[in-house]
Amino acid sequence: MDQKNVNLFLAHLEFQKAYSQATVRAYATDLEEFEDFLQGLTLSISHLENVQKKHIQKYLTYLFQQKLAKSSMARKMSCLRSFFRFMLQKKIIHENPTAGIANPKQEIHHPTMLNVDQVVSMLDEEIEDDFSYRDKALLELLYGSGLRISEALALNLQDFHEQRNTIKVFGKGGKERIVPLSDTSKKALIDWIEKRETVATNLQELALFIGKRGKRLNRREANRIIEIYRKKVGIATSVSPHDLRHSFATHLLEGGADLRSVQELLGHSKIATTQRYTHLDMDMLLKVYDKAHPFAKNEDKK
């Protein structure tokens, strides 16, 4: 296996896309497993020019035969899409063999929260036209900063503070808050604003997110964008803007963030709202309590 291209790709994920160490390690493992499969076909990542769409389809069939969870299959396919797209950008290959191959539909019933792999798959979909930069920036804000869809659509160009890595948001009741941006959200916004200058038909429009007619993007169009992306990555049932906001909050808490900080990020006036808003069982809430409260009986504090 040619580690040069793989290492280049993994470095791109870590330093330019700002993926977590856990996600980078998972992608590295996925590529090792894909290499093992290719070798069974007398192919290799060392010779990517020989890998064709039919081989990717065979790999997907192989994953089904292994009876993996569909979420795991989706992540592995997301990894391959990102890898081959990156190789295409670097002109190491001339065709992307993963193009047009969808993820297996996820076994999710009435989802109210996405797992991390599903979110990564949506955010990592390829750019198809100038407005795809808008879509990417919108999705990044809904998940990366947990904005309400109304807050995202109300943003104006001047609300983005590039130097401070923040965006000014007007929440319910006109309450203003400053929200931090992830590195990927900031890059997505910069890319979209650059493209926006070339597609804007109404130079007087101040909205950050505009539709193809040049006016402020509306909620119906935003819902349609999310539906397009969830279908592309094979999520079985509808995903709403609020589902991305829910996922943002829950993933933060599962990662160790305290409830009060998440409350501030979400713009909730009452912490009880944040608790109801997230998908935490009592065990998780007790862990948050034990870790943060000065009177909690936490062995680590002794």
Side-chain angles (χ1 to χ4, degrees):
M1 177 174 170
D2 185 355
Q3 279 294 135
K4 180 181 177 182
N5 289 337
V6 171
N7 289 342
L8 188 65
F9 170 65
L10 296 177
H12 165 72
L13 295 182
E14 182 174 1
F15 299 110
Q16 295 185 31
K17 300 282 284 184
Y19 282 12
S20 69
Q21 288 288 330
T23 300
V24 173
R25 285 195 298 269
Y27 274 37
T29 299
D30 290 341
L31 289 173
E32 288 176 5
E33 293 176 357
F34 181 60
E35 171 68 6
D36 290 341
F37 172 80
L38 287 179
Q39 288 185 0
L41 301 176
T42 66
L43 296 168
S44 174
I45 287 179
S46 301
H47 301 284
L48 287 175
E49 68 278 3
N50 295 326
V51 179
Q52 301 174 21
K53 185 174 183 176
K54 64 181 181 181
H55 301 130
I56 305 296
Q57 292 170 326
K58 284 184 179 180
Y59 182 60
L60 188 55
T61 300
Y62 166 78
L63 294 179
F64 271 107
Q65 293 170 344
Q66 298 303 302
K67 297 182 178 180
L68 294 179
K70 290 188 177 180
S71 59
S72 297
M73 286 189 275
R75 196 213 49 235
K76 292 178 187 296
M77 291 304 299
S78 176
C79 169
L80 293 186
R81 280 195 204 88
S82 296
F83 176 67
F84 280 103
R85 191 155 61 239
F86 181 70
M87 293 296 106
L88 187 66
Q89 290 171 354
K90 293 296 181 182
K91 298 184 179 179
I92 294 171
I93 57 175
H94 300 293
E95 291 185 9
N96 184 352
T98 66
I101 298 180
N103 282 348
K105 289 188 176 180
Q106 303 298 295
E107 295 172 335
I108 301 175
H109 304 284
H110 308 293
T112 53
M113 188 192 76
L114 303 179
N115 62 45
V116 175
D117 291 336
Q118 290 169 328
V119 175
V120 168
S121 294
M122 289 182 69
L123 297 181
D124 209 32
E125 267 300 304
E126 60 187 348
I127 298 291
E128 296 178 351
D129 57 31
D130 287 344
F131 279 96
S132 296
Y133 288 90
R134 175 203 63 190
D135 302 346
K136 191 80 69 176
L138 178 62
L139 290 171
E140 284 281 359
L141 279 181
L142 294 175
Y143 175 72
S145 296
L147 299 193
R148 299 177 177 94
I149 186 60
S150 57
E151 293 170 343
L153 297 180
L155 290 170
N156 291 324
L157 288 167
Q158 66 267 26
D159 294 328
F160 172 43
H161 300 285
E162 181 177 343
Q163 300 303 319
R164 286 181 275 175
N165 295 338
T166 61
I167 197 157
K168 183 169 64 175
V169 175
F170 292 91
K172 289 185 177 179
K175 292 182 180 178
E176 177 183 326
R177 72 183 189 278
I178 304 299
V179 178
L181 297 171
S182 68
D183 290 343
T184 51
S185 292
K186 177 181 176 180
K187 183 180 185 307
L189 283 170
I190 292 171
D191 290 345
W192 160 236
I193 289 171
E194 180 181 338
K195 294 295 179 183
R196 185 190 181 284
E197 294 177 359
T198 66
V199 298
T201 56
N202 180 4
L203 299 181
Q204 303 303 312
E205 179 57 70
L206 300 177
L208 175 60
F209 296 112
I210 58 174
K212 293 185 178 180
R213 295 183 179 180
K215 297 181 180 180
R216 186 180 296 271
L217 192 70
N218 61 46
R219 189 183 292 259
R220 182 177 179 180
E221 291 173 312
N223 286 330
R224 181 183 57 80
I225 289 166
I226 294 172
E227 279 294 282
I228 289 172
Y229 276 75
R230 73 93 180 165
K231 288 178 181 178
K232 281 185 178 182
V233 302
I235 297 174
T237 48
S238 295
V239 174
S240 72
H242 257 50
D243 292 340
L244 293 173
R245 178 169 155 88
H246 284 194
S247 303
F248 158 81
T250 304
H251 294 167
L252 279 180
L253 287 164
E254 289 176 342
D258 66 274
L259 204 57
R260 184 68 66 183
S261 296
V262 175
Q263 176 194 1
E264 290 294 325
L265 290 169
L266 290 173
H268 286 158
S269 58
K270 297 180 181 179
I271 201 164
T273 306
T274 307
Q275 181 179 332
R276 293 197 305 270
Y277 202 84
T278 56
H279 295 258
L280 294 179
D281 57 21
M282 186 52 64
D283 287 340
M284 176 61 73
L285 286 173
L286 286 172
K287 287 178 182 178
V288 172
Y289 175 86
D290 287 341
K291 180 178 179 182
H293 198 286
F295 294 161
K297 294 179 180 179
N298 189 329
E299 295 298 324
D300 293 338
K301 295 178 182 178
K302 294 181 178 179

